């Protein structure tokens, strides 16, 4: 079902990171997995899974420009149709920004930062404790995207220091 598919990109990312670290991961297994990830879309897996898959595929060099452009077009539609970002759009935009950086490097930094700027959680009406938890888990993605797109920016450095200080406070409790 749709909800069990959400873990597939995590498994693919784990295998990809293992390979990058020197572990032996068969090419045939990764090719099958990447083919499967390419088949995922919002209708069969949910939007966040589709965009997370795009980032994993981009990291592996397996995301097509056509699929990237489709996802960028969808993001533009959200911009036109919604006054407030949703939790789903927040994560999708973060994954899309990361995919852009993987595919296009520094030339995508400006677009990635624009996507990061559209991910403000506090503008969403009807904020709940569940959504609070959901957004908090996205902070790490925001830091990854910001540090990749603009590592020297004062905003990035301030966000990293603030995040690390909060984590240190959590550990001390």
């Amino acid at each position: 079902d749709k909800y069990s598919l959400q873990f597939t990109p995590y498994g693919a990312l784990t295998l990809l990171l293992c390979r990058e670290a020197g572990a032996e991961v068969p090419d045939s297994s990764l090719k099958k997995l990447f083919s499967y990830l390419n088949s995922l879309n919002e209708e069969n897996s949910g939007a966040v899974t589709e965009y997370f898959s795009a980032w994993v595929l981009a990291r592996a060099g397996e995301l097509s420009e056509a699929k990237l452009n489709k996802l960028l077009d969808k993001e533009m539609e959200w911009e036109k149709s919604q006054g407030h970002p949703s939790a789903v759009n927040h994560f999708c935009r973060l994954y899309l920004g990361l995919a852009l950086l993987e595919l296009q490097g520094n030339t995508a930094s400006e677009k990635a930062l624009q996507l990061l700027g559209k991910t403000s959680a506090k503008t969403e009406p009807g904020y709940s404790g569940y959504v609070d938890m959901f957004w908090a888990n996205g902070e790490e993605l925001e830091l990854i995207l910001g540090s990749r797109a603009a590592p020297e920016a004062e905003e990035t450095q301030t966000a990293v220091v603030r995040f690390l200080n909060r984590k240190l406070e959590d550990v001390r409790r």
Side-chain angles (χ1 to χ4, degrees), residues 8-173:
T8 305
Y10 287 100
L13 181 60
T14 301
L15 290 173
L16 192 58
L17 291 171
C18 287
R19 175 179 250 181
E20 289 172 8
E24 198 170 309
V25 180
D27 283 338
S28 61
S29 297
L30 284 177
K31 287 290 181 195
K32 286 179 189 173
L33 189 52
F34 296 150
S35 175
Y36 181 71
L37 289 180
N38 264 311
S39 73
L40 297 179
N41 58 50
E42 186 173 353
E43 292 74 36
N44 68 16
S45 65
V48 174
T49 301
E50 179 183 22
Y51 281 78
F52 184 13
S53 295
W55 174 39
V56 173
L57 290 166
R59 186 176 176 104
E62 297 288 333
L63 181 66
S64 70
E65 286 288 328
K67 185 159 187 161
L68 176 65
N69 289 333
K70 177 184 152 228
L71 298 176
L72 286 166
D73 289 345
K74 267 209 261 189
E75 190 276 329
M76 293 302 290
E77 287 301 313
W78 295 334
E79 186 71 17
K80 294 175 190 171
S81 67
Q82 296 179 338
H84 299 283
S86 71
V88 168
N89 292 2
H90 173 79
F91 278 93
C92 292
R93 285 181 168 130
L94 292 173
Y95 288 129
L96 184 57
L98 289 166
L100 278 167
L101 291 172
E102 292 292 344
L103 286 179
Q104 301 170 354
N106 291 337
T107 61
S109 292
E110 186 175 326
K111 178 64 178 171
L113 288 173
Q114 288 172 356
L115 292 168
L116 181 58
K118 295 177 184 179
T119 61
S120 173
K122 302 299 181 191
T123 61
E124 182 173 332
Y127 216 53
S128 71
Y130 172 74
V131 174
D132 249 342
M133 177 191 72
F134 194 59
W135 285 112
N137 292 335
E139 187 176 19
E140 291 86 353
L141 286 175
E142 291 174 6
L143 290 173
I144 292 168
L145 179 56
S147 63
R148 289 276 317 275
E152 302 301 320
E154 185 177 330
E155 295 89 356
T156 301
Q157 294 174 8
T158 301
V160 169
V161 169
R162 189 173 50 243
F163 176 78
L164 291 174
N165 284 334
R166 264 198 325 278
K167 292 300 178 185
L168 283 172
E169 287 174 26
D170 290 347
V171 169
R172 289 182 184 141
R173 285 187 221 163

